[in-house]
Amino acid sequence: MVRKPIPTSDELLPVVGLGTNRYGAGSSADERAPLRATLQRFHTLGGTVIDTAPMYRSSESVLGDLIDDLGIRDDLFIATKTDRDDGADATAAQMTESMRRLKTGTIDLMQVHNLRGWKDALPVMREWQQEGRIRYIGITTSRSRQYEEFEHVMRNEDLDFIQVNYSLEQREAADRILPLAAERGMAVMINRAFGGGRIFKAVGDRPLPDWAGDFGCESWAQFLLKYAIGHPAATLSIPGMTKVHHVDDNFGASHGRLPNDTERKRQEAYFDSL
């Protein structure tokens, strides 16, 4: 399995994590059974990074229950977020509630969601980091219109992580955000590597180009993920996975080599020709 280091610590993470914005299921065992099976398969294949947020409905609570039931907390790297814009106390209260829902005394990565309330949130997050309740801190966006402010925060704050949207369809982050992360020594978590699913509509039922096999791709999902995590500044991507076959397919991108710069340019040219 391909792993990449967090620059501030050299801790290695698998290049494919789990996005959970669709884990807001009900409370019954039947409703949660597909998610439990997905999470179990994710763990079995060596997955560690799980990204969630309080605003993903009941996802934190569902994950907390499932992780506890499976007994796998010590093997995981759990990332969640805060999005309060009404002061430091509100941020602290929200983070406390996230820990309760996730049934953990430590959050591996706490992120300011879409920069909301970052000026108040980051000092609180740093206090918690110094106390050992948070291991890493960062900021997120999935909107290119936020890039100017995002870049400002990156230049003026010491962060362990950023999370940003990047895909064959949405490449703007490669212009300034990703190079700046490399310059500032920040890990990069990629969201929306599938462009919100629109890329699959673009490729339709076309077969993969033969040359995709040169870097180990057997599906379009792997083609897209390997493009995103193949960027030198990228640390990992967090595709949403709610079914076991999603995990099996996406984890194919974490094996074999990643495309080099020439191959990634060929991927871009191919997609642009569709």
Side-chain angles (χ1 to χ4, degrees):
M1 182 184 293
V2 180
R3 293 177 173 84
K4 290 190 178 187
I6 300 171
T8 56
S9 69
D10 288 331
E11 179 179 353
L12 293 173
L13 297 178
V15 292
V16 175
L18 173 64
T20 63
N21 64 342
R22 296 184 180 178
Y23 271 59
S27 58
S28 74
D30 287 345
E31 289 174 301
R32 295 185 177 189
L35 302 179
R36 186 185 191 281
T38 300
L39 187 59
Q40 187 168 35
R41 183 62 172 165
F42 175 79
H43 175 259
T44 298
L45 293 184
T48 63
V49 181
I50 295 177
D51 181 73
T52 189
M55 58 290 308
Y56 298 164
R57 299 194 301 155
S58 60
S59 291
E60 285 186 328
S61 296
V62 171
L63 284 166
D65 291 344
L66 294 179
I67 290 167
D68 186 58
D69 180 47
L70 292 168
I72 59 175
R73 172 63 184 97
D74 291 346
D75 299 329
L76 299 178
F77 182 104
I78 295 179
T80 190
K81 307 176 185 76
T82 180
D83 70 340
R84 298 302 296 264
D85 58 4
D86 49 352
D89 290 344
T91 293
Q94 186 180 48
M95 295 194 301
T96 299
E97 179 63 10
S98 289
M99 293 174 75
R100 186 193 69 79
R101 291 174 178 173
L102 289 163
K103 299 185 178 182
T104 183
T106 306
I107 298 295
D108 295 290
L109 169 61
M110 182 63 73
Q111 307 156 98
V112 182
H113 199 182
N114 289 332
L115 296 179
R116 189 175 184 188
W118 67 267
K119 291 181 181 178
D120 288 325
L122 286 176
V124 181
M125 289 160 58
R126 286 197 179 91
E127 287 180 11
W128 282 41
Q129 188 178 34
Q130 292 171 358
E131 295 167 357
R133 291 189 281 177
I134 293 172
R135 297 180 60 221
Y136 300 102
I137 64 172
I139 57 175
T140 84
T141 189
S142 57
R143 307 163 182 172
S144 59
R145 64 179 179 271
Q146 285 192 315
Y147 284 2
E148 183 176 354
E149 184 180 9
F150 202 79
E151 184 179 351
H152 169 79
V153 179
M154 289 176 67
R155 288 192 180 281
N156 291 279
E157 300 287 343
D158 291 328
L159 306 170
D160 301 298
F161 272 81
I162 66 161
Q163 183 181 142
V164 67
N165 55 307
Y166 180 61
S167 68
L168 269 173
E169 182 190 48
Q170 300 170 325
R171 302 174 207 159
E172 299 96 321
D175 295 337
R176 294 168 67 171
I177 300 297
L178 297 182
L180 181 57
E183 176 187 327
R184 297 279 288 143
M186 299 171 183
V188 177
M189 190 179 293
I190 301 294
N191 61 47
R192 299 181 68 82
F194 298 149
R198 292 185 300 273
I199 297 179
F200 290 115
K201 295 180 181 178
V203 300
D205 58 0
R206 292 177 178 84
L208 281 171
D210 292 341
W211 46 266
D214 294 346
F215 46 92
C217 291
E218 298 179 352
S219 71
W220 282 113
Q222 295 171 22
F223 186 87
L224 299 171
L225 283 171
K226 286 205 171 195
Y227 172 79
I229 57 183
H231 192 288
T235 308
L236 75 155
S237 183
I238 46 166
M241 295 182 274
T242 57
K243 296 179 175 61
V244 170
H245 71 84
H246 294 160
V247 180
D248 289 336
D249 189 6
N250 292 340
F251 259 72
S254 67
H255 293 275
R257 69 176 180 86
L258 298 175
N260 59 35
D261 185 61
T262 299
E263 289 166 329
R264 293 181 70 254
K265 284 183 169 60
R266 192 175 188 182
Q267 289 180 281
E268 293 173 358
Y270 179 85
F271 180 76
D272 292 344
S273 72
L274 296 178

